[in-house]
Amino acid sequence: MSNDEESRAGVLSRSLQPGPLRVSHDVFARVAIDPDTADLVPAFLARRRSELVSLMHAFGRSDYDALRKSGHNLVGSGAGYGFPRLSELGAELSAAARDKDRAALAATLATLSEHIVAWHERYG
Amino acid sequence: MITDRTPSSSPAGDVTAPLVLVIDDDEDTRALLHRWLTGDGYRVECAESGESALRSLHRMLPDAVCLDLELPGWSGLETLARIRAHHPRLPVVILTADSAVGTVVSAVKSGAWDYLVKPIDRTKLSTTLRNAVERSRMAVQLAQLEREASGHPPMGLVGESPAMRSLLRQIDRVAPTDVTVLIQGESGTGKELVARAIHECSARRAEPWVAVNCAAVPETLQESELFGHERGAFTGAATRHLGRFEQANRGTLFLDEVAELSPSAQAKLLRVLQERRFHRVGGGAEVASDFRLIAASHRDLADEVAAGRFREDLYFRLAVFDLAVPPLRERGGDVVSIARAFLAERAAPGARPLRLSSETQMCMMSYPWPGNVRELRNAMERASVVAASDEIAVADLPQRVRQPAAAPAPEVRAAASVAAAPAGGRTLDDLERDAIVDALRKAHNNRTEAGRALGIGRSTLYRKLKKYSLES
Ligand SMILES: Nc1ncnc2c1ncn2[C@@H]1O[C@H](COP(=O)(O)OP(=O)(O)OP(=O)(O)O)[C@@H](O)[C@H]1O
């Protein structure tokens, strides 16, 4: 791992620790939860949060196929549950996995975990 | 929670609501689409793979499908091709996260109705599905109109009565799918003809049509008849034998008088319907068959279930789509149209068919036809032989048709047996038994002929022979 990669993975693992997390405010900027599906959101976010661990393992194992597939699923569900940013991050994850671009993967995973944890804390 | 959720009215109980099948391997996407679509008034079923979707398509009749292109196992495109092969009129909306134009183009080329790029916009999904469902329902109506305009009833199913029209509409709706169909109706009402019409109007029409009358197969041989047997499976099994399920591969299997299956044949049938694969009697490798099943019974299967003679789970597998063929006496003027069709069939090439005098028509319409269309056919065959002119007179009709009150046919007596009182110490059953013995004697034990004389079908006769222990 390069230094850069390592520090990003560090962010990722730190964000998985319990406890308060300081996040930039724009994490919540585009969240738009539809009242019709609001009751599904807490479980959805809980599943996303626990999925972060398996994403990290997949990253460690260089299992690009699993990362690509998860990214694909996030594209499909994120915006629908009210998190358009999640769909975008899913697309980035998928693309980085397809290119086997480890630096981009580490960056995306870090951003992803930052967002998911913040959302889960607020809407979960 | 951020907002109060107004509970969306669930149309789950409304069976007339259009049904949408969602195929997506992501649980969260399925849950979301399920919620959105039920909110739009659809009934929704979900499948997580192409394989399981195809399996459940056999037991549902969706109006549209939402298909994710990226699936484990069968790919989205492969699933699409299979759906198109079995359900050519069913509109399939492709969902893809992949803006890769290539896949979308191939999907549309292979007959996808439309595509939506993920993340899916709820409004776009609503509009697209509304159009798809509309077109699916229109396709059914169109097929109906075409058929009516051509003037050819499918497979010679004659009749314009409201009861018959409604039956034809249901045939149009269910035929192009792979859904299992259960046809119920009295003997001789035309159940086999309806089954055949479904096969002929389906994408399987060029493939085998295999019909089995379960009542005519002794219980001990039912399993080997249906599922085949390996060489040496039992005494007399000298060679491997392919069962009806295998013969019907790619085509349609018609199980007539399905209520007559033994309990163990019922159990095996249930498994085959669940898994679409089975073992021949005597073991060997597992065999798969791609069949469409149509079952029929002259008995009310729900009653058979209640009486403990028919498996409930099997009943639900069979009765996914059930069709009731009405008795002839409930079809009004159809009696006359069907009779005319029979007379036209019998006329020599180029010759004018025999006509029916108006009294004959009246007489035919007031008779209850307990043997239904089969009895009517026999009556017309007889009448065209004895008619003295080019018109069939009342006198040319069989005695029981002329004087329904005086000499009811055996089936009428059977039908009335609920309210029956013993006549001179004899029950109606005794009378029926005598009538059968008599007919068999006159027909020199030829059962087909005896059945014809009695105005009942072969399977009805077999059943009655069993009932009165006259089988040998
Ligand atoms: N609507 C119809 N128009 C023309 N012919 C018909 C019609 N319905 C039935 N028939 C004819 O009536 C006869 C009996 O029909 P079929 O054998 O399909 O009845 P079924 O209900 O299957 O009888 P069973 O219960 O005894 O097996 C056949 O000769 C069939 O061609």
Side-chain angles (χ1 to χ4, degrees):
Chain A
M1 260 192 218
S2 72
N3 271 348
D4 196 26
E5 232 182 74
E6 241 164 281
S7 67
R8 281 183 179 124
V11 173
L12 172 58
S13 58
R14 266 199 314 285
S15 65
L16 294 173
Q17 309 296 319
L21 188 84
R22 288 194 321 114
V23 278
S24 54
H25 211 69
D26 63 7
V27 166
F28 303 109
R30 289 160 57 213
V31 175
I33 296 172
D34 179 345
D36 283 356
T37 45
D39 62 320
L40 303 178
V41 169
F44 172 72
L45 290 174
R47 278 194 297 275
R48 295 292 73 77
R49 190 164 183 171
S50 49
E51 185 184 51
L52 287 173
V53 180
S54 44
L55 290 178
M56 249 182 43
H57 285 308
F59 179 74
R61 283 196 319 270
S62 307
D63 185 348
Y64 300 113
D65 208 45
L67 291 164
R68 197 190 48 74
K69 183 70 201 161
S70 300
H72 167 91
N73 287 343
L74 293 178
V75 173
S77 56
Y81 282 90
F83 306 91
R85 181 79 184 114
L86 184 56
S87 288
E88 291 165 10
L89 289 169
E92 283 171 29
L93 184 67
S94 218
R98 203 172 34 233
D99 300 342
K100 303 189 175 153
D101 180 342
R102 291 194 65 86
L105 273 173
T108 308
L109 285 172
T111 318
L112 190 64
S113 55
E114 213 174 79
H115 281 73
I116 287 174
V117 171
W119 289 330
H120 185 234
E121 300 288 311
R122 179 173 297 188
Y123 308 112
Chain B
M1 214 51 307
I2 354 154
T3 25
D4 289 334
R5 184 181 151 255
T6 16
S8 55
S9 68
S10 165
D14 179 6
V15 291
T16 61
L19 177 65
V20 177
L21 171 64
V22 172
I23 312 171
D24 197 310
D25 63 320
D26 180 40
E27 186 191 342
D28 294 296
T29 305
R30 288 198 304 270
L32 189 67
L33 294 184
H34 190 281
R35 177 61 64 81
W36 281 354
L37 296 176
T38 44
D40 283 351
Y42 297 106
R43 286 179 298 139
V44 184
E45 293 271 349
C46 294
E48 53 189 47
S49 69
E51 290 89 328
S52 76
L54 259 288
R55 265 200 307 276
S56 46
L57 271 177
H58 289 275
R59 54 173 181 75
M60 61 169 85
L61 208 55
D63 294 272
V65 173
C66 290
L67 170 65
D68 180 29
L69 267 193
E70 185 155 336
L71 290 173
W74 293 353
S75 71
L77 284 179
E78 195 174 347
T79 306
L80 173 65
R82 288 177 195 251
I83 296 177
R84 299 285 304 160
H86 294 303
H87 305 261
R89 290 197 208 139
L90 180 60
V92 179
V93 175
I94 296 295
L95 312 178
T96 173
D98 196 356
S99 28
V101 191
T103 2
V104 173
V105 169
S106 354
V108 172
K109 276 204 182 130
S110 359
W113 161 253
D114 206 342
Y115 71 95
L116 296 169
V117 177
K118 289 181 174 182
I120 291 157
D121 179 76
R122 186 175 177 177
T123 320
K124 263 196 204 142
L125 175 68
S126 286
T127 321
T128 309
L129 269 183
R130 193 166 52 238
N131 292 337
V133 165
E134 213 164 88
R135 125 134 157 189
S136 154
R137 299 217 152 171
M138 254 165 59
V140 172
Q141 281 167 5
L142 204 67
Q144 236 164 276
L145 288 173
E146 269 170 12
R147 205 207 49 242
E148 282 168 18
S150 76
H152 292 299
M155 291 303 296
L157 274 171
V158 179
E160 283 84 52
S161 59
M164 201 61 198
R165 276 171 175 274
S166 137
L167 183 65
L168 290 174
R169 263 200 306 279
Q170 296 185 71
I171 293 175
D172 277 332
R173 181 155 159 65
V174 79
T177 72
D178 267 348
V179 168
T180 302
V181 179
L182 174 65
I183 305 173
Q184 304 196 80
E186 293 176 12
S187 275
T189 44
K191 295 185 293 296
E192 176 151 10
L193 211 55
V194 167
R196 193 66 212 246
I198 293 173
H199 173 71
E200 293 299 328
C201 297
S202 79
R204 294 173 179 255
R205 71 179 72 87
E207 306 293 342
W209 158 261
V210 178
V212 188
N213 182 348
C214 303
V217 184
E219 287 200 359
T220 48
L221 295 180
Q222 283 173 352
E223 284 172 58
S224 106
E225 171 80 12
L226 295 179
F227 309 104
H229 59 72
E230 296 292 345
R231 183 165 172 222
F234 46 84
T235 345
T239 52
R240 166 190 281 182
H241 162 78
L242 295 193
R244 301 301 192 154
F245 274 92
E246 270 175 277
Q247 294 170 12
N249 189 25
R250 305 176 61 81
T252 306
L253 176 64
F254 176 55
L255 291 186
D256 200 359
E257 302 304 356
V258 71
E260 315 307 316
L261 286 180
S262 69
S264 75
Q266 288 180 30
K268 200 154 174 181
L269 175 57
L270 176 69
R271 269 199 310 279
V272 179
L273 287 177
Q274 283 161 344
E275 287 152 28
R276 307 251 145 203
R277 29 182 80 246
F278 52 90
H279 293 277
R280 299 187 191 104
V281 175
E286 206 179 36
V287 190
S289 172
D290 166 22
F291 59 87
R292 190 229 187 125
L293 184 71
I294 304 181
S297 174
H298 76 281
R299 296 176 202 270
D300 187 336
L301 275 195
D303 286 351
E304 295 299 296
V305 170
R309 285 186 296 263
F310 200 78
R311 292 180 71 113
E312 184 176 30
D313 41 11
L314 179 57
Y315 169 70
F316 286 119
R317 284 268 167 188
L318 294 177
V320 174
F321 192 96
D322 69 358
L323 280 178
V325 184
L328 188 55
R329 64 185 168 278
E330 286 171 16
R331 297 190 221 167
D334 283 359
V335 177
V336 173
S337 348
I338 297 174
R340 287 205 179 108
F342 288 155
L343 294 172
E345 235 173 66
R346 291 185 63 85
R352 283 236 324 251
L354 295 178
R355 284 176 298 116
L356 297 164
S357 78
S358 41
E359 300 92 276
T360 306
Q361 292 181 28
M362 294 297 289
C363 183
M364 284 166 52
M365 283 174 52
S366 56
Y367 177 68
W369 300 104
N372 292 295
V373 186
R374 184 177 293 108
E375 184 184 6
L376 176 63
R377 178 189 277 280
N378 299 334
M380 288 302 107
E381 278 170 7
R382 175 184 186 277
S384 50
V385 172
V386 300
S389 69
D390 60 356
E391 192 174 78
I392 291 176
V394 173
D396 302 328
L397 295 174
Q399 172 82 14
R400 61 180 182 276
V401 181
R402 271 180 278 155
Q403 295 163 332
E411 282 279 21
V412 173
R413 288 190 246 118
S417 67
V418 204
R426 307 185 69 208
T427 63
L428 286 176
D429 276 358
D430 294 335
L431 293 172
E432 184 172 81
R433 186 178 189 281
D434 291 353
I436 292 171
V437 170
D438 191 44
L440 277 171
R441 207 184 50 237
K442 283 188 185 141
H444 304 288
N445 259 335
N446 180 325
R447 293 178 177 185
T448 313
E449 213 170 285
R452 195 175 297 148
L454 291 162
I456 59 178
R458 245 182 10 155
S459 50
T460 310
L461 183 61
Y462 277 109
R463 199 162 24 85
K464 296 203 184 289
L465 290 176
K466 212 185 214 175
K467 174 175 170 191
Y468 299 120
S469 312
L470 293 169
E471 284 156 302
S472 49

